[in-house]
Amino acid sequence: MNDWPEGWSDDNRGTRYGSGSASARPEGARVMRQVRRGQAAPPQSPGVPPQPSYVDGQGYGDYTNARNTGYDSGYNTGQVYGAPAGGGPGGPGEGYGRGPRPAPDWRRRIKWTAITVVTVLVVTTVGTYFWADSKLQREVDLSKVIDRPEQGEGTNYLIVGSDSRAGMSDEEKKKLHTGSAEGKRTDSMMILHTGSNGDTLISLPRDSDVEIPTFVGSESGKTYKGTGRHVKLNAAYAEDGPELLVRTVEFNTGLRIDHYVEIGFAGFANIVDAVGGVEMDIPQDIKDTKSGADFKKGKQTLNGEEALAFVRTRYALAGSDLDRTKNQQKFLAALANQVATPGTLLNPFKLYPTMGAGLDSLIVDKDMGLYDLASMFFAMKGVNSGDGKSMNMPISGSSGGNLVWDEAKVKQLVKELKNDETVTVSGN
């Protein structure tokens, strides 16, 4: 029996196609001969998918035939077994077996970004608050002040610039023209009233004639009876420090002081340098060898050394101490305005050095908080911007070299401040 396909015989085999043939013709060519045009492929073994035939020169069957058998080799679409067109489940270039990539959930991303930003801001703010609060030097105890006036409307700050040279080297004293006097005295004193009807900044000339009342010593705790003794206002500070100064101001004005803030020479200069200088419009040429001031008329930016010289100058001014207090008011208001700008508050490279320089050098009362301090600076900024009023304590004349306050005007001024009314009184 001939087991060869139709048209073949044992003679067709020849030695060329035997397994031991030396012919270079691949055996695959012999196998392909059994696939004839128009003839179906032989039956396949069980478990093997039926293979499409090579019919009419169109490849392995047609799409209809493949669909009817339920099997498609995939070669007529360029696919491989088990992989859809495009490479993989995820589309072209995807790895085999990976699902489609989900679309980004932008709402979720925005939510978590916002939560992260808010958390960072809260942590930074809280950390900054406790850092700044820990640097405040709360050394003044206003509970030691006796016989205090009744509390009025609004808040009253007593702002003092002292000539303290504590912590300054000999080189710094020479550079800032401070001299080397021991102890400390008040170089400037102001009352800042903040309220709902505008803020008012009132300078108290250091040469103001005042009476030293009965007081309790801040260190000794002893009571010192008043004798009607009159001195210059800055002598009260020199005699028993901030507590006696507050007691003397309250006794001579009838206005209760709520908070006390003091800054020395070095601290003042450091704050100005930290904020990058303060622009001032100087109304006249100023030259004073004692303070080191040497300025030409016009707008200019003062650094720490120049600023200190400007606010201390009095001998080169026609009005002496009264003109000096006006310059001090202008400069402190301009400084507060510079500190409160977005360029400082939103720039950590400026904000933290400025806060550090200021807080390291400020001496405040025991009840003073950061909120009170911020309110004070923003009130001074408001005065500089024209939202408030700045003035000297009204003066009626002089006695023995001391400046005498105008009693009637001072009484009216204090009444308006206590009631938080718009100030109508004018000063010198």
Side-chain angles (χ1 to χ4, degrees):
M1 179 179 176
N2 189 352
D3 293 329
W4 293 97
E6 182 182 355
W8 283 69
S9 66
D10 290 341
D11 293 336
N12 294 120
R13 295 171 59 189
T15 57
R16 293 178 301 166
Y17 304 111
S19 59
S21 172
S23 172
R25 184 173 183 177
E27 202 165 30
R30 174 171 60 83
V31 176
M32 291 299 291
R33 281 184 178 272
Q34 68 184 23
V35 182
R36 296 175 62 99
R37 190 182 295 259
Q39 180 177 339
Q44 304 296 318
S45 300
V48 178
Q51 301 298 315
S53 62
Y54 194 86
V55 180
D56 297 329
Q58 298 184 11
Y60 282 102
D62 57 17
Y63 175 74
T64 304
N65 197 32
R67 181 177 56 187
N68 291 337
T69 62
Y71 176 81
D72 184 3
S73 66
Y75 281 104
N76 48 344
T77 60
Q79 295 177 249
V80 296
Y81 292 121
E94 293 285 342
Y96 175 77
R98 292 175 59 184
R101 179 180 297 171
D105 188 345
W106 290 109
R107 183 175 298 179
R108 180 183 177 86
R109 290 186 181 184
I110 292 172
K111 183 184 82 169
W112 281 107
T113 299
I115 290 174
T116 301
V117 171
V118 170
T119 301
V120 170
L121 288 176
V122 169
V123 171
T124 301
T125 302
V126 172
T128 299
Y129 176 86
F130 283 105
W131 166 77
D133 188 72
S134 67
K135 294 179 77 68
L136 278 178
Q137 302 178 62
R138 297 181 174 92
E139 300 178 3
V140 180
D141 189 356
L142 295 183
S143 67
K144 295 179 179 180
V145 180
I146 62 173
D147 300 333
R148 309 193 68 186
E150 292 183 2
Q151 182 73 51
E153 299 293 328
T155 303
N156 300 311
Y157 299 85
L158 180 59
I159 305 170
V160 174
S162 75
D163 64 359
S164 172
R165 299 157 178 84
M168 296 177 64
S169 65
D170 291 338
E171 183 179 350
E172 289 174 323
K173 292 176 183 177
K174 182 178 180 180
K175 178 182 178 181
L176 297 177
H177 300 273
T178 64
S180 299
E182 295 297 326
K184 60 180 182 178
R185 288 151 290 278
T186 52
D187 218 45
S188 61
M189 290 159 284
M190 303 176 190
I191 293 175
L192 173 65
H193 173 83
T194 63
S196 57
N197 287 299
D199 305 316
T200 306
L201 185 62
I202 308 161
S203 285
L204 308 176
R206 58 181 286 176
D207 293 339
S208 296
D209 185 82
V210 294
E211 179 182 340
I212 298 294
T214 299
F215 68 97
V216 175
S218 59
E219 297 295 334
S220 66
K222 294 174 57 177
T223 298
Y224 297 87
K225 292 291 186 180
T227 61
R229 176 168 53 102
H230 281 246
V231 298
K232 292 181 178 180
L233 182 58
N234 66 339
Y237 181 95
E239 187 171 330
D240 198 48
E243 288 84 359
L244 179 55
L245 177 62
V246 171
R247 168 73 174 127
T248 302
V249 169
E250 290 186 343
F251 177 81
N252 285 269
T253 62
L255 187 68
R256 187 184 181 97
I257 300 300
D258 299 297
H259 292 294
Y260 177 93
V261 182
E262 177 186 327
I263 187 169
F265 282 161
F268 180 82
N270 289 339
I271 293 176
V272 175
D273 285 335
V275 82
V278 176
E279 185 179 74
M280 288 293 298
D281 188 0
I282 298 178
Q284 65 183 70
D285 292 351
I286 299 176
K287 189 172 182 64
D288 184 356
T289 56
K290 290 191 175 183
S291 68
D294 188 2
F295 305 111
K296 296 296 182 181
K297 178 181 178 180
K299 285 187 177 182
Q300 51 204 286
T301 299
L302 307 184
N303 61 26
E305 177 184 348
E306 294 166 337
L308 185 59
F310 178 72
V311 299
R312 294 183 62 222
T313 296
R314 63 171 176 161
Y315 293 105
L317 304 175
S320 187
D321 199 41
L322 290 177
D323 282 349
R324 178 170 72 165
T325 56
K326 293 176 183 178
N327 285 342
Q328 290 171 346
Q329 287 180 346
K330 291 177 182 177
F331 186 85
L332 289 179
L335 174 60
N337 185 68
Q338 178 69 20
V339 171
T341 59
T344 299
L345 295 178
L346 300 180
N347 183 353
F349 297 102
K350 266 193 175 184
L351 177 61
Y352 284 96
T354 301
M355 291 179 64
L359 297 173
D360 280 340
S361 55
L362 289 180
I363 296 175
V364 300
D365 64 272
K366 293 185 180 297
D367 295 327
M368 185 80 157
L370 288 177
Y371 176 81
D372 301 307
L373 193 61
S375 297
M376 183 191 80
F377 272 100
F378 278 102
M380 293 183 73
K381 177 186 177 183
V383 170
N384 182 65
S385 302
D387 294 334
K389 181 174 183 176
S390 60
M391 58 183 287
N392 274 324
M393 187 65 83
I395 304 295
S396 62
S398 61
S399 176
N402 296 351
L403 297 174
V404 179
W405 294 350
D406 187 317
E407 290 187 11
K409 287 186 175 181
V410 170
K411 184 177 181 180
Q412 178 65 23
L413 173 63
V414 171
K415 175 180 175 293
E416 291 172 346
L417 293 177
K418 276 189 170 183
N419 295 328
D420 196 24
E421 301 171 350
T422 301
V423 172
T424 61
V425 177
S426 59
N428 299 76

